Amino acid sequence: MTAFKIKTQLTKSEYCKLFLRLSYRQRLYQIITMMGVLLLILSIVRFFVKSIISENVQFFLFAFSIYGLVLFPILIWLRAKKIYNTNAGLQGPIEYSFNDQGLTLDASGNRSTFTWRDFGKTEQTKEYLLLFGYNRAAYFLKLKDLQPDQIRFIEDRVATESAVGEDKTEK
């Protein structure tokens, strides 16, 4: 396939939703959510059953469940908004240039060049193709901006290079 370019731009809302979704894939966020659900159930059961748990402890359980289920996602959303607002590269259009060697990213005049070896995996969601770098950063492309053969090209390159990288580390 010949080289191609994609220009994309994320709104603040799109970025925050994507950031929240990716954050909740991490084990810590999942544990806090599960603890919030369990503590909420425990505090509700406490209202209907005579319990050895004091009212102060019950209040703490309820407060922590609210933190885990309501305040924690709000804090993540606010963090994503802050990142978006302070990063000029996210606010403007981002141009991705793909070729056989890798990709070049141009955002607000800042240019970065990556080889395919810099990426560990790709993932396709309903709306995005995510390129995950080994530095834990995710680069995102809107699927509506890509052709199916372009998606296959990117996925194949990342899969091939990450497999080559794994073979070298095993030896």
Side-chain angles (χ1 to χ4, degrees), residues 30-72:
Q30 294 169 355
I31 289 171
I32 289 173
T33 303
M34 289 187 306
M35 285 181 62
V37 169
L38 291 173
L39 292 176
L40 182 63
I41 291 169
L42 185 62
S43 66
I44 291 172
V45 167
R46 165 63 173 82
F47 279 116
F48 300 107
V49 177
K50 185 168 173 88
S51 174
I52 58 172
I53 299 175
S54 71
E55 288 182 24
N56 290 337
V57 172
Q58 179 190 359
F59 177 74
F60 171 76
L61 295 176
F62 184 72
F64 190 79
S65 68
I66 295 302
Y67 171 77
L69 297 174
V70 178
L71 293 178
F72 197 63

Side-chain angles (χ1 to χ4, degrees), residues 1 12 27 51 62 86 88 95 98 101 124 139 153 159:
M1 171 175 250
K12 186 187 302 187
R27 183 79 60 213
S51 174
F62 184 72
T86 59
E95 184 176 270
F98 296 91
Q101 288 74 39
Q124 201 169 332
Y139 302 92
F153 173 81

Side-chain angles (χ1 to χ4, degrees), residues 36 67 74 108 121 127 136-137 141:
Y67 171 77
I74 290 172
S108 300
K121 69 175 185 170
E127 301 166 357
R136 293 182 38 147
L141 298 157

Side-chain angles (χ1 to χ4, degrees), residues 69-83:
L69 297 174
V70 178
L71 293 178
F72 197 63
I74 290 172
L75 291 174
I76 294 170
W77 186 274
L78 292 174
R79 182 175 158 215
K81 269 179 72 171
K82 182 179 179 184
I83 291 170

Side-chain angles (χ1 to χ4, degrees), residues 2-20:
T2 61
F4 62 96
K5 291 183 180 188
I6 301 294
K7 194 175 239 183
T8 189
Q9 184 171 0
L10 286 179
T11 64
K12 186 187 302 187
S13 176
E14 289 173 325
Y15 179 77
C16 291
K17 287 176 187 174
L18 187 57
F19 190 89
L20 188 65

